[in-house]
C-alpha cells in the first residue's frame, strides 16, 4: 500500500511539474512607466497565466536598445514606442520590426519650470523650451507648441520637423533638444519643457508638476507592441488580445487618468 501511495504521489508530482513547464514564456522589453507597470500588473499577468503564458519584463530607459535587442532575438516583443518612431528606426537601422497592435496613447504635455509657473499666455519673450530630440517626438513637441500659437512650422516638414523647420517665432523661443528621458531633469534649468507623458509620470509631479497644455488624443500616436516581421506566434497574438481587453483598458484609466489613454 505504501508503495502504491508513493507511486501515486510521484505521478501527481510529475504531472504538476509537466503542467508548470507547459507555460510559454515571453520576454518583453518596456519603458518603466507606464509600459512595464502595465505588463507587470495583476490584471495582465493573471489573464496571461490563465492562457499558460508567463511574462518576463525587461526595463529600458532609452529608445534604442529595446529595438536592437528585439531585432537580435533577445526579446520576443517590446512595448514603448509608436508607429512613426518604429518606421523611422527601421529606416535608419535596417531593422525589420512591425506593430502587432496598439494599446494606449500618451498625450505629450508642456510643463513649466515649477519656480516660474508660467501659463501659455505668460510665456516670456526668449523663453527656453526643452524638447525631445528623437525622430517624430521632436516633431510632435513642436506641433504642440504650434497648436498653442507659440511658433509656426514649415508644413512640408511633417513628422520629420525639427527646430530648423520653425518659420515663425514671434516670442523668439529658444528650442533646445535633449534625449527624451532627460527632458524632465532639464526642466529645472529651462523655462518650459515638452515631455512625453511616460517620462513625466516616471519623474512625478514633484519634479514636473502638471502640464499647462496637452496634445489632443486625436493627434497623439498610439503606443504599440512591436515584434519581428513575420513572427506569427499565437502567444504574441494572445498578448495583444489581453492588452487590448476591456479589463486592461479599465486598469489603465483607473491608474493613470488622462496621462495614458487606452486605444479602445
Amino acid at each position: 500500500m505504501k508503495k502504491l501511495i508513493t507511486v501515486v504521489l510521484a505521478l501527481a508530482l510529475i504531472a504538476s511539474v509537466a503542467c508548470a513547464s507547459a507555460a510559454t514564456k515571453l520576454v518583453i522589453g518596456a519603458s518603466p512607466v507606464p509600459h512595464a507597470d502595465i505588463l507587470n500588473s495583476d490584471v495582465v499577468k493573471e489573464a496571461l497565466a490563465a492562457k499558460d503564458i508567463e511574462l518576463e519584463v525587461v526595463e529600458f530607459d532609452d529608445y534604442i536598445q529595446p529595438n536592437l535587442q528585439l531585432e537580435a532575438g533577445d526579446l520576443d516583443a517590446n512595448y514603448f514606442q509608436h508607429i512613426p518612431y518604429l518606421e523611422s528606426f527601421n529606416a535608419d537601422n535596417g531593422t525589420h520590426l512591425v506593430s502587432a497592435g496598439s494599446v494606449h496613447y500618451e498625450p505629450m504635455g508642456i510643463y513649466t519650470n515649477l519656480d516660474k509657473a508660467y501659463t501659455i499666455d505668460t510665456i516670456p519673450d526668449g523663453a527656453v523650451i526643452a524638447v525631445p530630440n528623437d525622430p517624430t517626438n521632436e516633431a510632435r513637441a513642436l506641433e504642440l507648441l504650434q497648436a498653442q500659437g507659440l511658433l509656426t512650422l514649415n508644413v512640408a516638414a511633417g513628422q520629420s520637423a525639427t527646430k530648423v523647420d520653425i518659420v515663425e517665432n514671434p516670442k523668439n523661443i529658444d528650442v533646445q533638444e535633449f534625449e527624451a528621458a532627460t527632458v524632465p531633469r532639464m526642466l529645472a534649468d529651462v523655462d518650459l519643457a515638452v515631455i512625453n507623458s511616460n517620462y513625466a509620470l516616471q519623474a512625478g509631479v514633484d519634479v514636473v508638476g502638471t502640464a499647462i497644455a496637452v496634445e489632443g488624443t486625436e493627434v497623439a500616436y498610439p503606443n504599440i507592441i512591436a515584434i519581428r516581421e513575420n513572427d506569427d506566434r499565437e502567444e504574441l497574438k494572445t498578448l495583444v488580445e489581453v492588452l487590448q481587453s476591456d479589463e486592461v483598458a479599465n486598469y489603465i484609466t483607473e491608474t493613470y487618468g488622462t496621462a495614458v489613454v487606452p486605444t479602445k
Side-chain angles (χ1 to χ4, degrees):
M1 179 62 73
K2 282 186 177 181
K3 284 186 178 181
L4 179 59
I5 293 173
T6 301
V7 170
V8 170
L9 290 174
L11 290 173
L13 179 59
I14 291 169
S16 175
V17 171
C19 288
S21 64
T24 299
K25 183 177 182 179
L26 291 175
V27 182
I28 313 297
S31 297
V33 180
H35 310 80
D37 286 350
I38 293 170
L39 292 172
N40 283 318
S41 67
D42 289 341
V43 65
V44 171
K45 291 215 164 181
E46 289 174 6
L48 290 174
K51 298 176 182 295
D52 294 323
I53 297 174
E54 175 190 352
L55 281 190
E56 178 184 339
V57 180
V58 181
E59 296 187 9
F60 293 88
D61 288 320
D62 72 289
Y63 287 167
I64 308 298
Q65 286 302 315
N67 278 342
L68 293 180
Q69 293 193 29
L70 176 57
E71 177 76 9
D74 298 325
L75 302 171
D76 294 301
N78 67 42
Y79 176 32
F80 75 94
Q81 65 193 318
H82 49 61
I83 289 176
Y85 179 82
L86 176 64
E87 291 175 343
S88 175
F89 190 94
N90 281 335
D92 291 343
N93 296 277
T95 46
H96 306 83
L97 307 177
V98 297
S99 170
S102 63
V103 181
H104 72 264
Y105 297 98
E106 292 177 12
M108 193 172 271
I110 301 174
Y111 294 80
T112 177
N113 180 303
L114 296 183
D115 293 332
K116 299 176 181 178
Y118 296 122
T119 66
I120 293 297
D121 293 333
T122 62
I123 294 173
D125 188 81
V128 178
I129 302 183
V131 301
N133 66 359
D134 58 276
T136 69
N137 280 319
E138 181 170 0
R140 285 177 67 192
L142 294 174
E143 287 167 2
L144 177 55
L145 295 174
Q146 178 174 249
Q148 300 304 313
L150 298 172
L151 51 80
T152 303
L153 297 169
N154 182 345
V155 176
Q159 294 179 347
S160 300
T162 68
K163 67 179 185 179
V164 301
D165 298 299
I166 298 172
V167 293
E168 293 182 19
N169 190 357
K171 284 184 173 286
N172 300 304
I173 288 170
D174 180 5
V175 174
Q176 298 189 2
E177 302 155 317
F178 300 94
E179 199 277 320
T182 69
V183 175
R185 297 198 296 273
M186 298 307 303
L187 186 56
D189 300 317
V190 298
D191 294 303
L192 302 106
V194 186
I195 305 175
N196 298 74
S197 67
N198 60 310
Y199 288 127
L201 286 167
Q202 192 172 332
V205 293
D206 291 342
V207 175
V208 300
T210 302
I212 62 172
V214 179
E215 181 181 46
T217 55
E218 71 277 3
V219 296
Y221 304 148
N223 279 211
I224 60 166
I225 297 297
I227 61 174
R228 288 182 294 280
E229 192 175 43
N230 300 320
D231 189 350
D232 58 356
R233 285 177 287 167
E234 287 300 319
E235 53 265 34
L236 291 172
K237 296 175 184 177
T238 300
L239 171 66
V240 173
E241 288 171 4
V242 167
L243 290 172
Q244 292 178 338
S245 68
D246 291 338
E247 292 77 13
V248 172
N250 291 337
Y251 168 82
I252 290 172
T253 300
E254 291 167 4
T255 304
Y256 304 105
T258 57
V260 183
V261 182
T263 54
K264 286 181 67 72

